[in-house]
Protein backbone atom coordinates (compact mmCIF):
# COMPACT_ATOMS: atom_id res chain seq x y z
CA UNK A 1 0.00 0.00 0.00
CA UNK A 2 1.35 3.40 -0.96
CA UNK A 3 1.92 6.07 1.67
CA UNK A 4 -0.28 9.16 1.53
CA UNK A 5 2.51 11.13 -0.14
CA UNK A 6 3.31 8.37 -2.61
CA UNK A 7 -0.34 8.00 -3.54
CA UNK A 8 -0.64 11.74 -4.14
CA UNK A 9 2.41 11.79 -6.41
CA UNK A 10 1.13 8.83 -8.42
CA UNK A 11 -2.17 10.68 -8.85
CA UNK A 12 -0.45 13.90 -9.92
CA UNK A 13 1.76 12.24 -12.50
CA UNK A 14 -1.00 10.07 -13.91
CA UNK A 15 0.71 6.94 -12.63
CA UNK A 16 -0.68 4.12 -10.56
CA UNK A 17 -2.28 5.33 -7.34
CA UNK A 18 -3.87 2.53 -5.36
CA UNK A 19 -6.81 4.62 -4.11
CA UNK A 20 -8.33 8.07 -4.39
CA UNK A 21 -6.60 10.88 -2.53
CA UNK A 22 -9.01 11.88 0.22
CA UNK A 23 -9.43 15.64 0.17
CA UNK A 24 -6.69 17.40 2.17
CA UNK A 25 -5.23 14.22 3.67
CA UNK A 26 -1.77 14.81 2.19
CA UNK A 27 -1.13 18.14 3.91
CA UNK A 28 -0.49 19.07 7.52
CA UNK A 29 -1.65 22.67 7.42
CA UNK A 30 0.22 25.20 9.54
CA UNK A 31 -2.51 27.71 10.31
CA UNK A 32 -0.45 29.35 13.06
CA UNK A 33 1.46 31.40 10.46
CA UNK A 34 1.17 35.03 11.68
CA UNK A 35 -0.42 36.44 8.51
CA UNK A 36 -2.43 38.96 10.50
CA UNK A 37 -5.74 37.36 9.58
CA UNK A 38 -8.23 37.40 12.45
CA UNK A 39 -11.48 35.48 12.85
CA UNK A 40 -13.91 37.33 15.12
CA UNK A 41 -17.35 35.80 14.99
CA UNK A 42 -20.15 38.27 15.63
CA UNK A 43 -17.87 41.30 15.54
CA UNK A 44 -16.73 44.22 13.39
CA UNK A 45 -13.02 45.09 13.37
CA UNK A 46 -10.14 46.61 11.39
CA UNK A 47 -7.22 44.44 10.31
CA UNK A 48 -3.52 45.31 9.99
CA UNK A 49 -4.10 46.91 6.56
CA UNK A 50 -6.93 49.06 7.91
CA UNK A 51 -9.60 46.98 6.16
CA UNK A 52 -12.91 46.82 8.04
CA UNK A 53 -14.37 43.32 8.49
CA UNK A 54 -17.69 41.99 9.72
CA UNK A 55 -18.69 38.48 10.70
CA UNK A 56 -22.42 38.64 11.44
CA UNK A 57 -23.84 36.08 13.81
CA UNK A 58 -25.44 33.19 11.99
CA UNK A 59 -23.24 33.58 8.91
CA UNK A 60 -20.60 31.06 7.81
CA UNK A 61 -17.83 33.58 7.24
CA UNK A 62 -16.58 37.14 7.41
CA UNK A 63 -16.41 39.75 4.67
CA UNK A 64 -14.85 43.20 4.12
CA UNK A 65 -17.15 46.21 4.20
CA UNK A 66 -16.70 49.44 2.26
CA UNK A 67 -19.84 51.54 2.71
CA UNK A 68 -20.01 54.89 4.49
CA UNK A 69 -16.39 55.74 3.77
CA UNK A 70 -14.97 52.57 5.30
CA UNK A 71 -12.94 51.55 2.23
CA UNK A 72 -9.21 52.08 2.70
CA UNK A 73 -8.84 53.32 -0.89
CA UNK A 74 -11.40 55.95 -1.87
CA UNK A 75 -9.50 57.06 -4.98
CA UNK A 76 -7.15 54.60 -6.68
CA UNK A 77 -4.94 57.44 -7.92
CA UNK A 78 -4.26 58.35 -4.28
CA UNK A 79 -3.55 54.81 -3.03
CA UNK A 80 0.02 55.60 -1.98
CA UNK A 81 -1.20 58.03 0.65
CA UNK A 82 -3.46 55.50 2.39
CA UNK A 83 -2.04 51.98 1.84
CA UNK A 84 0.88 51.08 4.08
CA UNK A 85 2.48 47.67 4.39
CA UNK A 86 1.91 46.18 7.85
CA UNK A 87 4.96 45.23 9.86
CA UNK A 88 5.92 41.61 9.31
CA UNK A 89 6.53 39.64 12.48
CA UNK A 90 10.09 38.30 12.51
CA UNK A 91 10.68 37.28 16.11
CA UNK A 92 10.93 33.63 17.07
CA UNK A 93 8.31 34.37 19.73
CA UNK A 94 5.74 35.48 17.16
CA UNK A 95 6.45 32.46 15.00
CA UNK A 96 6.84 29.96 17.87
CA UNK A 97 3.46 28.20 17.44
CA UNK A 98 3.99 27.84 13.70
CA UNK A 99 7.58 26.64 14.15
CA UNK A 100 6.48 24.06 16.72
CA UNK A 101 3.79 22.79 14.35
CA UNK A 102 6.20 22.64 11.39
CA UNK A 103 8.73 20.69 13.44
CA UNK A 104 6.07 18.19 14.53
CA UNK A 105 4.93 17.25 11.01
CA UNK A 106 5.70 13.70 9.89
CA UNK A 107 7.18 14.76 6.57
CA UNK A 108 7.50 11.19 5.35
CA UNK A 109 3.72 10.89 5.38
CA UNK A 110 2.41 14.43 4.79
CA UNK A 111 3.56 17.75 3.42
CA UNK A 112 4.33 20.48 5.94
CA UNK A 113 2.12 23.15 4.41
CA UNK A 114 2.22 26.86 5.12
CA UNK A 115 -0.88 28.98 4.65
CA UNK A 116 -1.12 32.39 3.00
CA UNK A 117 -4.14 34.58 2.34
CA UNK A 118 -5.50 36.78 0.97
CA UNK A 119 -4.01 36.78 -2.51
CA UNK A 120 -3.32 39.72 -4.80
CA UNK A 121 -6.69 40.02 -6.53
CA UNK A 122 -8.58 39.65 -3.25
CA UNK A 123 -6.42 42.31 -1.65
CA UNK A 124 -7.33 44.85 -4.33
CA UNK A 125 -11.05 44.50 -3.69
CA UNK A 126 -10.63 44.15 0.06
CA UNK A 127 -9.01 47.57 0.02
CA UNK A 128 -11.55 49.36 -2.18
CA UNK A 129 -14.56 47.15 -2.89
CA UNK A 130 -15.17 44.74 -5.77
CA UNK A 131 -16.85 47.17 -8.15
CA UNK A 132 -14.21 49.85 -7.67
CA UNK A 133 -11.37 47.35 -8.05
CA UNK A 134 -12.76 45.99 -11.30
CA UNK A 135 -13.44 49.46 -12.70
CA UNK A 136 -9.97 50.68 -11.72
CA UNK A 137 -8.40 47.97 -13.89
CA UNK A 138 -10.05 49.71 -16.87
CA UNK A 139 -10.00 53.34 -15.82
CA UNK A 140 -6.67 53.64 -13.97
CA UNK A 141 -4.50 50.72 -15.09
CA UNK A 142 -1.21 52.37 -14.18
CA UNK A 143 -2.28 53.05 -10.60
CA UNK A 144 -3.69 49.54 -10.25
CA UNK A 145 -0.46 48.03 -11.56
CA UNK A 146 1.50 50.06 -9.03
CA UNK A 147 -0.77 48.82 -6.23
CA UNK A 148 -0.47 45.20 -7.34
CA UNK A 149 3.32 45.54 -7.51
CA UNK A 150 3.32 46.97 -3.97
CA UNK A 151 1.21 44.08 -2.68
CA UNK A 152 3.54 41.65 -4.48
CA UNK A 153 6.55 43.15 -2.74
CA UNK A 154 4.85 42.69 0.62
CA UNK A 155 4.04 39.05 -0.07
CA UNK A 156 7.59 38.31 -1.19
CA UNK A 157 8.91 39.93 1.99
CA UNK A 158 6.53 37.83 4.07
CA UNK A 159 7.41 34.69 2.11
CA UNK A 160 11.10 35.18 2.82
CA UNK A 161 10.45 35.17 6.57
CA UNK A 162 8.08 32.21 6.34
CA UNK A 163 10.53 30.10 4.37
CA UNK A 164 13.32 30.82 6.83
CA UNK A 165 11.19 30.03 9.88
CA UNK A 166 9.23 26.99 8.70
CA UNK A 167 10.92 25.47 5.65
CA UNK A 168 7.54 24.29 4.33
CA UNK A 169 7.27 21.71 1.58
CA UNK A 170 3.95 23.02 0.28
CA UNK A 171 2.01 26.28 0.20
CA UNK A 172 -1.76 26.61 0.36
CA UNK A 173 -2.38 30.02 -1.16
CA UNK A 174 -5.80 31.64 -1.43
CA UNK A 175 -7.00 34.02 -4.13
CA UNK A 176 -10.50 33.62 -5.52
CA UNK A 177 -10.50 34.45 -9.22
CA UNK A 178 -14.11 33.89 -10.18
CA UNK A 179 -17.75 33.37 -9.37
CA UNK A 180 -19.44 30.01 -9.83
CA UNK A 181 -19.99 30.67 -13.53
CA UNK A 182 -17.23 33.02 -14.73
CA UNK A 183 -13.83 34.45 -13.93
CA UNK A 184 -14.03 37.94 -12.45
CA UNK A 185 -11.78 39.37 -15.16
CA UNK A 186 -10.94 38.31 -18.69
CA UNK A 187 -7.97 36.00 -19.34
CA UNK A 188 -6.24 38.85 -21.16
CA UNK A 189 -6.60 41.19 -18.20
CA UNK A 190 -5.55 38.44 -15.80
CA UNK A 191 -2.42 37.88 -17.88
CA UNK A 192 -1.60 41.58 -17.92
CA UNK A 193 -2.11 42.43 -14.26
CA UNK A 194 -1.60 39.26 -12.22
CA UNK A 195 0.45 36.67 -14.10
CA UNK A 196 3.81 38.51 -13.77
CA UNK A 197 3.35 38.91 -10.00
CA UNK A 198 2.30 35.31 -9.41
CA UNK A 199 5.23 34.08 -11.47
CA UNK A 200 7.54 35.99 -9.11
CA UNK A 201 5.81 34.76 -5.96
CA UNK A 202 5.51 31.10 -6.89
CA UNK A 203 9.02 31.01 -8.37
CA UNK A 204 10.36 32.34 -5.07
CA UNK A 205 8.64 29.54 -3.17
CA UNK A 206 9.88 26.88 -5.58
CA UNK A 207 13.42 28.27 -5.55
CA UNK A 208 13.43 28.02 -1.76
CA UNK A 209 12.39 24.40 -1.38
CA UNK A 210 8.61 24.31 -1.79
CA UNK A 211 7.57 21.21 -3.73
CA UNK A 212 3.84 21.85 -4.09
CA UNK A 213 2.01 25.06 -4.89
CA UNK A 214 -1.66 24.51 -4.01
CA UNK A 215 -3.77 27.44 -5.14
CA UNK A 216 -7.30 27.82 -3.80
CA UNK A 217 -9.98 29.44 -5.95
CA UNK A 218 -13.43 27.97 -5.36
CA UNK A 219 -14.87 29.17 -8.61
CA UNK A 220 -15.17 28.83 -12.31
CA UNK A 221 -11.69 29.49 -13.70
CA UNK A 222 -11.31 27.04 -16.58
CA UNK A 223 -10.32 29.94 -18.82
CA UNK A 224 -7.38 30.75 -16.51
CA UNK A 225 -5.89 27.25 -16.31
CA UNK A 226 -3.14 27.93 -18.89
CA UNK A 227 -1.99 30.82 -16.71
CA UNK A 228 -2.16 28.67 -13.58
CA UNK A 229 0.27 26.31 -15.26
CA UNK A 230 2.46 29.19 -16.43
CA UNK A 231 2.83 30.67 -12.93
CA UNK A 232 3.73 27.31 -11.40
CA UNK A 233 0.58 26.04 -9.70
CA UNK A 234 0.71 22.28 -9.11
CA UNK A 235 -2.80 21.79 -7.71
CA UNK A 236 -5.86 23.94 -8.31
CA UNK A 237 -7.91 23.45 -5.16
CA UNK A 238 -11.55 24.49 -5.18
CA UNK A 239 -12.38 23.63 -8.78
CA UNK A 240 -16.17 23.69 -8.93
CA UNK A 241 -18.20 21.33 -11.06
CA UNK A 242 -19.42 24.36 -13.01
CA UNK A 243 -16.09 23.89 -14.76
CA UNK A 244 -15.98 20.96 -17.16
CA UNK A 245 -13.56 19.01 -14.98
CA UNK A 246 -13.23 15.90 -17.20
CA UNK A 247 -12.41 18.16 -20.15
CA UNK A 248 -9.83 20.06 -18.08
CA UNK A 249 -8.22 16.80 -16.96
CA UNK A 250 -8.06 15.57 -20.54
CA UNK A 251 -6.53 18.81 -21.80
CA UNK A 252 -4.22 19.84 -18.96
CA UNK A 253 -3.87 16.85 -16.61
CA UNK A 254 -0.21 16.19 -17.31
CA UNK A 255 0.62 19.74 -16.17
CA UNK A 256 -1.74 20.43 -13.25
CA UNK A 257 -3.93 18.48 -10.84
CA UNK A 258 -7.53 19.44 -10.10
CA UNK A 259 -8.79 19.22 -6.51
CA UNK A 260 -12.48 19.71 -5.80
CA UNK A 261 -15.65 18.71 -7.62
CA UNK A 262 -17.72 18.58 -4.42
CA UNK A 263 -19.46 21.94 -4.13
CA UNK A 264 -19.36 22.76 -0.42
CA UNK A 265 -22.72 24.51 -0.59
CA UNK A 266 -24.44 21.31 -1.67
CA UNK A 267 -22.76 18.88 0.72
CA UNK A 268 -21.95 20.97 3.81
CA UNK A 269 -25.25 22.58 4.76
CA UNK A 270 -27.66 22.61 7.75
CA UNK A 271 -29.28 19.23 8.11
CA UNK A 272 -27.04 17.68 5.45
CA UNK A 273 -28.11 14.23 4.31
CA UNK A 274 -25.88 11.22 3.80
CA UNK A 275 -27.73 10.16 0.68
CA UNK A 276 -27.03 13.51 -0.99
CA UNK A 277 -23.36 13.48 -0.06
CA UNK A 278 -22.85 9.87 -1.12
CA UNK A 279 -24.47 10.50 -4.50
CA UNK A 280 -22.29 13.53 -5.17
CA UNK A 281 -19.08 11.73 -4.18
CA UNK A 282 -19.98 8.75 -6.37
CA UNK A 283 -20.82 10.93 -9.39
CA UNK A 284 -17.70 13.05 -8.93
CA UNK A 285 -15.29 10.13 -8.61
CA UNK A 286 -16.77 8.27 -11.56
CA UNK A 287 -16.86 11.33 -13.80
CA UNK A 288 -13.32 12.53 -13.13
CA UNK A 289 -11.30 9.38 -12.45
CA UNK A 290 -8.23 9.04 -10.29
CA UNK A 291 -5.51 10.58 -12.48
CA UNK A 292 -4.78 14.27 -12.03
CA UNK A 293 -7.87 14.60 -9.83
CA UNK A 294 -8.48 14.75 -6.07
CA UNK A 295 -12.09 14.57 -4.85
CA UNK A 296 -12.54 17.32 -2.27
CA UNK A 297 -14.92 19.91 -0.95
CA UNK A 298 -14.40 23.19 -2.74
CA UNK A 299 -13.93 25.08 0.55
CA UNK A 300 -10.41 26.39 0.97
CA UNK A 301 -9.57 24.79 4.29
CA UNK A 302 -9.89 21.25 5.67
CA UNK A 303 -12.74 22.30 7.91
CA UNK A 304 -16.49 21.81 7.88
CA UNK A 305 -19.36 24.12 8.67
CA UNK A 306 -21.59 21.35 9.96
CA UNK A 307 -20.44 18.45 12.09
CA UNK A 308 -19.63 15.15 10.47
CA UNK A 309 -19.45 16.25 6.83
CA UNK A 310 -15.71 15.77 6.27
CA UNK A 311 -15.59 12.34 7.90
CA UNK A 312 -18.54 11.13 5.86
CA UNK A 313 -17.11 12.46 2.60
CA UNK A 314 -13.89 10.57 3.37
CA UNK A 315 -15.90 7.45 4.10
CA UNK A 316 -17.66 7.76 0.75
CA UNK A 317 -14.35 8.31 -1.05
CA UNK A 318 -13.03 5.11 0.59
CA UNK A 319 -16.04 3.26 -0.76
CA UNK A 320 -15.37 4.56 -4.25
CA UNK A 321 -11.74 3.46 -3.96
CA UNK A 322 -12.92 -0.06 -3.16
CA UNK A 323 -15.26 -0.02 -6.13
CA UNK A 324 -13.05 1.61 -8.75
CA UNK A 325 -9.54 0.38 -7.93
Amino acid sequence: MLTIRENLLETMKGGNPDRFVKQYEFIDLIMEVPTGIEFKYGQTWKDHWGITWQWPEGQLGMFPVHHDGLAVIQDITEWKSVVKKPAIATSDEAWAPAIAHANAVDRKEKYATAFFAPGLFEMTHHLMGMENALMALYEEPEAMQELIDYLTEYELEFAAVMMEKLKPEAILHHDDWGSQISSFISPEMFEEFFVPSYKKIYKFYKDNGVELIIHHSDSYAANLVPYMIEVGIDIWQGVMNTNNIPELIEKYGEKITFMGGLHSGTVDYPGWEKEVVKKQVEETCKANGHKYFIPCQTSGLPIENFEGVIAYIDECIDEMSKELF
Side-chain angles (χ1 to χ4, degrees), residues 121 175-179 183-184 190 198 215 217 219 224 228 233:
F121 176 74
D175 203 11
D176 288 336
W177 290 334
S179 68
S183 60
F184 289 128
F190 184 80
Y198 270 111
H215 185 99
S217 179
S219 66
L224 304 182
M228 296 187 198
I233 293 170

Side-chain angles (χ1 to χ4, degrees), residues 13-170:
K13 70 181 184 182
N16 294 295
D18 58 20
R19 61 196 184 277
F20 281 107
V21 177
K22 286 189 297 190
Q23 306 199 85
Y24 287 97
E25 68 173 351
F26 60 95
I27 70 172
D28 194 323
L29 187 58
I30 304 166
M31 285 296 293
E32 298 88 348
V33 174
T35 57
I37 294 178
E38 299 176 288
F39 302 96
K40 298 183 177 181
Y41 179 75
Q43 297 184 43
T44 299
W45 71 98
K46 285 186 182 290
D47 71 8
H48 55 320
W49 286 92
I51 299 165
T52 300
W53 292 88
Q54 287 183 346
W55 189 338
E57 292 186 14
Q59 297 300 313
L60 298 180
M62 61 192 196
F63 54 89
V65 291
H66 306 98
H67 56 71
D68 299 327
L70 290 175
V72 175
I73 299 174
Q74 300 290 327
D75 179 345
I76 183 59
T77 65
E78 302 294 330
W79 74 266
K80 290 179 182 178
S81 65
V82 291
V83 178
K84 305 299 178 186
K85 296 177 189 173
I88 297 171
T90 58
S91 69
D92 287 342
E93 180 181 5
W95 284 82
I99 292 170
H101 189 160
N103 290 340
V105 176
D106 179 358
R107 299 188 182 213
K108 292 182 180 180
E109 189 70 12
K110 298 193 176 189
Y111 287 85
T113 305
F115 173 76
F116 189 88
L120 299 175
F121 176 74
E122 289 179 333
M123 276 298 300
T124 64
H125 68 80
H126 288 180
L127 287 164
M128 68 184 85
M130 179 66 82
E131 296 87 349
N132 288 337
L134 293 176
M135 289 301 296
L137 290 167
Y138 287 97
E139 296 178 341
E140 299 291 345
E142 290 184 7
M144 278 295 281
Q145 189 63 69
E146 290 175 351
L147 174 62
I148 292 165
D149 290 345
Y150 185 78
L151 297 171
T152 302
E153 289 173 8
Y154 171 81
E155 183 167 346
L156 287 168
E157 291 164 6
F158 189 95
V161 178
M162 184 161 65
M163 296 307 299
E164 177 189 352
K165 299 289 187 183
L166 306 182
K167 297 178 173 56
E169 301 166 291

Side-chain angles (χ1 to χ4, degrees), residues 238-286:
V239 54
M240 287 186 163
N241 54 17
T242 50
N243 299 272
N244 187 331
I245 300 174
E247 182 179 273
L248 291 174
I249 292 170
E250 176 68 24
K251 190 171 183 179
Y252 301 110
E254 294 182 357
K255 298 178 180 178
I256 190 171
T257 293
F258 301 92
M259 180 176 175
L262 301 173
H263 189 332
S264 294
T266 60
V267 294
D268 187 8
Y269 57 90
W272 63 276
E273 300 169 279
K274 287 188 173 182
E275 295 78 10
V276 172
V277 174
K278 184 176 182 178
K279 183 174 185 289
Q280 290 204 34
V281 172
E282 180 177 340
E283 290 175 349
T284 297
C285 290
K286 288 183 175 179

